[in-house]
Amino acid sequence: MPGTGGTGIGVRSTGPITGFGSVIVNRVRFDDSTAQVSLDGQADVATSLRLGMVVNLQGERDAAGLVGKANAIDVWSIAQGQVGSITGTQFVVAGMVIQTDPGTVLDGITSIADLIPGSWVRVWGLQASSDASTWNATRVALVQPGDLVSSGLCVLQGSNFYINGLRLTNTAGYQIQSGTLVRAQGTLADANSSLSLKSYVPLGLDATQPGDGEVEVSGLVTSMNSSRQFTLGNLAIDARLATLNGGVIAVGQRVEVEGRWQGGVIMANSVEIESSQSLDSAEIEAKIEEFTSLSNFVVRGQRCDGSGLKEIKGGSVADLKVGLKIHVKGVKQGEILYLTQLEIDH
């Protein structure tokens, strides 16, 4: 693999995008220049990727686990529809409870408090409950009305399949199995009680096709079998022989696991409990796309505010303009990345 001195270790990585300059997932910087990219099943390009989108990535990385090369990047939103009830920092959409936190990236709204019932949103996120009815949003965007998307466990009740209380119709041609974690997309019908399918896709990593190499996954602990055996989303993790960093594993914690498949279980080599500081942080290396002022500019689709900076490495405010390549680090708050570092890339 270029830059690593070897051919690279095969890896499948799933988790939210935390930065760019290539694409950063699970703390590994993957070169995405030749990757095949798809967004919600449609072919796209790497420049369409955004902070907080959850990806399934296949590629290779170096032995140190710092850099890699992506061959394929698939992104699936997990919910789309009209916002229902709103309680504090969580809301309901498509029959799903969506939780947000300070690390949730927002697009089109400055805070969750700006959401109103009836608004249309698209959500990317991580499974937060064993029954997959609750999800933790990593990105929320205001969108125009369209198809409804709902993700969760598909269950058979009588002769009908349901997901999050919606009866699935127009199911001919789809291989539907009860108990499977899926993403269903379609049109509401029957007084909003049924979903006429247009798309039906299993979610998560597939243990039946593990491939070769490492597995890296970031998610929320949804259940515990023992202090070192737990479920991450819908994935079984055995961490009895793993190195544990950051504290004690508990339900609701966001963790990053590295390991290999063995009999439908990920045998972990390491488990990292992610801190609130790491979840709120982001890093981008790209060209400025819009520039109004130091407190209001856009890079890689992300609006930034650098008004709190004490210095700009490699130049000054006068140098900043559209097309200039920069490297920024900062803290996510709503739809703004508040910068702690800005360096001009010469």
Side-chain angles (χ1 to χ4, degrees):
M1 188 171 66
T4 66
T7 58
I9 300 168
V11 65
R12 299 173 68 200
S13 185
T14 182
I17 295 173
T18 57
F20 295 104
S22 295
V23 61
I24 302 174
V25 182
N26 294 328
R27 294 179 295 173
V28 180
R29 187 184 297 271
F30 290 95
D31 177 3
D32 59 4
S33 58
T34 60
Q36 292 184 328
V37 177
S38 71
L39 271 62
D40 288 342
Q42 301 298 313
D44 214 305
V45 292
T47 52
S48 296
L49 300 174
R50 294 290 182 264
L51 287 178
M53 288 184 173
V54 177
V55 306
N56 285 327
L57 182 151
Q58 295 188 44
E60 56 185 38
R61 63 164 177 77
D62 68 343
L66 299 177
V67 297
K69 185 175 181 63
N71 299 323
I73 302 173
D74 296 322
V75 177
W76 293 96
S77 57
I78 51 97
Q80 179 171 289
Q82 285 185 291
V83 174
S85 61
I86 304 170
T87 306
T89 58
Q90 70 180 33
F91 59 93
V92 174
V93 63
M96 306 161 61
V97 176
I98 306 296
Q99 301 173 336
T100 66
D101 56 42
T104 302
V105 180
L106 303 180
D107 182 1
I109 51 174
T110 57
S111 72
I112 293 300
D114 295 331
L115 276 183
I116 58 174
S119 302
W120 271 78
V121 296
R122 183 177 300 144
V123 181
W124 295 260
L126 303 169
Q127 183 180 341
S129 64
S130 295
D131 64 359
S133 64
T134 302
W135 293 70
N136 177 259
T138 53
R139 184 180 181 89
V140 178
L142 282 182
V143 296
Q144 294 298 313
D147 288 341
L148 184 128
V149 173
S150 188
S151 297
L153 292 178
C154 182
V155 295
L156 179 63
Q157 296 180 3
S159 59
N160 295 304
F161 288 100
Y162 288 80
I163 181 170
N164 295 318
L166 294 169
R167 180 172 59 89
L168 302 182
T169 63
N170 192 32
T171 57
Y174 296 105
Q175 295 183 341
I176 300 178
Q177 294 182 334
S178 184
T180 304
L181 182 67
V182 299
R183 175 190 188 271
Q185 178 173 340
T187 305
L188 283 173
D190 302 322
N192 296 338
S193 65
S194 67
L195 183 66
S196 178
L197 287 181
K198 294 182 179 179
S199 171
Y200 179 91
V201 181
L203 289 178
L205 295 174
D206 186 357
T208 65
Q209 297 179 336
D212 297 324
E214 299 281 347
V215 176
E216 297 173 348
V217 57
S218 177
L220 289 160
V221 177
T222 51
S223 66
M224 299 285 300
N225 295 328
S226 71
S227 62
R228 289 295 191 101
Q229 293 173 293
F230 57 95
T231 304
L232 196 66
N234 68 329
L235 299 172
I237 310 293
D238 187 334
R240 286 176 293 178
L241 301 179
T243 300
L244 175 62
N245 297 306
V248 179
I249 303 168
V251 171
Q253 284 181 327
R254 176 90 163 262
V255 302
E256 182 183 314
V257 174
E258 181 181 313
R260 288 178 177 267
W261 285 114
Q262 183 176 311
V265 176
I266 295 178
M267 303 299 294
N269 301 321
S270 67
V271 177
E272 181 86 21
I273 297 174
E274 299 187 81
S275 66
S276 58
Q277 181 179 2
S278 67
L279 295 177
D280 296 347
S281 301
E283 175 182 358
I284 302 175
E285 185 176 357
K287 293 181 179 180
I288 296 175
E289 298 166 343
E290 300 175 20
F291 186 81
T292 302
S293 66
L294 181 61
S295 62
N296 183 10
F297 65 94
V298 176
V299 58
R300 194 62 186 259
Q302 178 62 49
R303 193 160 299 279
C304 300
D305 183 342
S307 59
L309 293 171
K310 295 182 179 180
E311 68 169 336
I312 296 175
K313 295 182 179 179
S316 67
V317 175
D319 298 316
L320 300 179
K321 60 183 179 180
V322 172
L324 181 70
K325 188 175 182 181
I326 60 174
H327 183 190
V328 300
K329 294 181 180 180
V331 177
K332 297 173 288 183
Q333 291 184 24
E335 66 174 352
I336 307 296
L337 182 66
Y338 289 92
L339 303 187
T340 56
Q341 177 180 313
L342 190 160
E343 181 175 0
I344 295 175
D345 188 345
H346 294 290

